[in-house]
Amino acid sequence: MAVERLREIVFIAVRTLFAQIEGGRVRCESEATLQLHLGRVITTVGDLALVHPRETFSIELEKPLPGAKRGRIDIWFRLTSADDRECRCAIELKFFKKANQREPNNRYEVFKDIARLECCKDVADLGFMLVATDHPHYVDQEVYSPDTQDFDLRHGKSYLAGRQMVYRTPKPHGPPITLTHDYNFTWTDATSQLRYMLLEVTPDLVV
């Protein structure tokens, strides 16, 4: 039940944020502003989810993962129940602008973040990968280059657990990536300019 509450907080917060963007209440022109505003909305929704006087909610941005070279989680929050049981959620964000011209590398970075979420069981019970973009190449490009086609998160595509993804350029952007779960990629029309994908990830490993 606690994980369901975390999931509901994320769903409500993401829908609310993109509604505010579409309505003009907030402007998101970078990943940093997306992170800031989503953290703000999650804080509000999380506080409203508390019903018992002993329940607590806490949130961190850029939470460092324990251990060498594990990086940071963009948004992390926790609900503590009246009997002191904790349930934790980790969210990774990507915000890709068409003008940045880094599309193949960016697709790789999404899968790298999904892999990080799968490996943060020590700090999270539930994870989400949120990707927003104004560039249709991430969503419905007809074909990708054979060198980078493994890293495919277009609308309607899927990934099967255990399949190794390789960046085949002469100077690869990074090492091969293999995920432990199946994934189906679904993009939502968020605003007149942006589309987003909210992908649930189950953390079940610790590196």
Side-chain angles (χ1 to χ4, degrees), residues 166-200:
V166 180
Y167 209 100
R168 296 181 173 86
T169 57
K171 293 183 178 179
H173 183 62
I177 295 174
T178 303
L179 304 178
T180 61
H181 295 284
D182 296 341
Y183 295 102
N184 296 309
F185 304 115
T186 302
W187 289 80
T188 299
D189 292 320
T191 74
S192 56
Q193 291 82 36
L194 297 176
R195 296 187 70 176
Y196 75 82
M197 177 185 71
L198 182 63
L199 183 73
E200 184 172 330

Side-chain angles (χ1 to χ4, degrees), residues 31 35 60-63 72-76 91-94 113 129:
E31 189 170 303
Q35 180 189 38
E60 294 181 37
L61 304 184
E62 298 295 332
K63 180 180 178 63
R72 296 171 179 266
I73 294 296
D74 290 328
I75 298 176
W76 177 92
I91 304 174
E92 290 281 31
L93 305 175
K94 287 287 183 275
D113 279 356
M129 181 78 233

Side-chain angles (χ1 to χ4, degrees), residues 33-181:
T33 54
L34 181 67
Q35 180 189 38
L36 178 64
H37 285 298
L38 183 57
R40 169 185 58 83
V41 179
I42 287 174
T43 299
T44 300
V45 177
D47 184 65
L48 292 173
L50 303 179
V51 295
H52 190 279
R54 288 194 58 198
E55 289 181 322
T56 61
F57 172 87
S58 61
I59 186 169
E60 294 181 37
L61 304 184
E62 298 295 332
K63 180 180 178 63
L65 290 169
K69 298 181 179 180
R70 291 185 65 197
R72 296 171 179 266
I73 294 296
D74 290 328
I75 298 176
W76 177 92
F77 67 92
R78 171 180 60 199
L79 286 177
T80 304
S81 67
D83 56 358
D84 295 323
R85 289 181 295 178
E86 294 183 352
C87 198
R88 309 152 301 169
C89 183
I91 304 174
E92 290 281 31
L93 305 175
K94 287 287 183 275
F95 186 58
F96 299 141
K97 299 298 292 262
K98 187 175 183 179
N100 290 346
Q101 303 291 329
R102 293 185 71 253
E103 184 233 309
N105 291 352
N106 287 340
R107 287 189 278 114
Y108 177 95
E109 291 297 325
V110 171
F111 284 95
K112 181 179 176 181
D113 279 356
I114 295 172
R116 178 184 292 114
L117 287 169
E118 288 188 338
C119 295
C120 66
K121 179 65 175 175
D122 53 336
V123 299
D125 306 292
L126 182 66
F128 286 94
M129 181 78 233
L130 174 63
V131 187
T133 186
D134 64 353
H135 195 347
H137 280 198
Y138 297 100
V139 182
D140 53 19
Q141 173 76 350
E142 186 174 345
V143 294
Y144 288 140
S145 162
D147 292 339
T148 63
Q149 65 184 1
D150 285 1
F151 303 93
D152 188 352
L153 44 83
R154 289 173 293 174
H155 182 72
K157 296 295 183 178
S158 60
Y159 170 86
L160 295 179
R163 179 173 62 84
Q164 186 182 67
M165 295 171 285
V166 180
Y167 209 100
R168 296 181 173 86
T169 57
K171 293 183 178 179
H173 183 62
I177 295 174
T178 303
L179 304 178
T180 61
H181 295 284

